[in-house]
Amino acid sequence: MRELVLKMSMSLDGFVAAPRAESDWMFRGGSPDSMAWVLDVVAGAGVHAFGRKTFESISGFWPTAPGPIAEPMNRIPKVVFTTQRDFDPRSVPVPDSDSPAAATWMGARVAAGPLEAEATALKQESGGYVLAQGGTEFGRSLVRAGLVDEYRLAVLPVALGSGDGVFTDLTDELDLELISSQAFAGGALGLVYRPKR
């Protein structure tokens, strides 16, 4: 059985989404060593899992994106979690739609059933870990349902003061065990936690 890893970038005060629409704060503290950490997390996945809103917002970017992270983002299969049973990934505009990179986005699998059943079925498949990367509501749902086996958090050197958090609205306290931590040259931290069972 493979594990579900939740990867999130968050502010120092624990927010993964800011009150304003621009998300430029997510790039603060970026450095070559932090990018290598993100690349390692992304490339190690057997499948990428997204909420529908995030999938729709990023699928138009990655097929023609520059940089080393684009290769595993485009190559690795994708699953879209949604409550819209009629959602079709081919309806989302993707640049260079005839390219192999675009094909993995347009051919994404849709998980429209109950979250716990869909995530559990995905975890029971073979292959590398399931990497959930967004968005906020999707990540929060995975956390609340106790489906996350490991948290890989990029904590950025910025405080937002308010926003949305992935740990918001927990029904009980969530005890975590620190597995590893890495300080990056730009001031960000890479933290890996696992729930205490």
Side-chain angles (χ1 to χ4, degrees):
M1 186 162 164
R2 60 183 172 180
E3 296 190 329
L4 190 148
V5 173
L6 179 62
K7 176 195 157 296
M8 286 292 209
S9 295
M10 64 175 45
S11 65
L12 191 59
D13 48 353
F15 298 110
V16 297
R20 60 187 178 88
E22 296 83 12
S23 59
D24 57 333
W25 66 272
M26 289 188 153
F27 303 103
R28 302 220 181 116
S31 55
D33 53 348
S34 67
M35 292 303 292
W37 185 84
V38 171
L39 177 59
D40 184 60
V41 173
V42 170
V47 64
H48 294 296
F50 304 99
R52 179 189 52 81
K53 292 176 191 173
T54 297
F55 180 85
E56 289 176 332
S57 70
I58 68 172
S59 59
F61 170 76
W62 284 110
T64 56
I69 294 175
E71 190 280 326
M73 284 296 294
N74 289 322
R75 172 181 45 82
I76 295 170
K78 290 122 187 90
V79 177
V80 184
F81 283 77
T82 180
T83 56
Q84 295 183 0
R85 294 193 178 274
D86 60 346
F87 176 72
D88 185 349
R90 294 171 297 181
S91 68
V92 180
V94 175
D96 195 14
S97 59
D98 294 329
S99 72
T104 67
W105 293 92
M106 295 169 63
R109 195 162 107 193
V110 177
L115 175 70
E116 290 189 45
E118 293 280 11
T120 300
L122 194 57
K123 288 168 73 169
Q124 289 173 343
E125 296 175 4
S126 61
Y129 53 80
V130 178
L131 182 62
Q133 305 187 61
T136 306
E137 291 175 29
F138 174 54
R140 191 180 298 141
S141 297
L142 293 171
V143 173
R144 277 196 307 247
L147 294 165
V148 179
D149 299 296
E150 188 168 277
Y151 296 88
R152 299 194 190 183
L153 307 173
V155 180
L156 308 177
V158 59
L160 300 177
S162 64
D164 270 336
V166 74
F167 298 109
T168 304
D169 300 328
L170 288 174
T171 56
D172 199 1
E173 295 169 355
L174 176 62
D175 290 317
L176 302 171
E177 178 184 2
L178 180 65
I179 302 303
S180 68
S181 64
Q182 186 173 351
F184 302 118
L189 297 172
L191 304 176
V192 178
Y193 285 97
R194 295 180 71 84
K196 286 186 177 177
R197 302 288 183 194

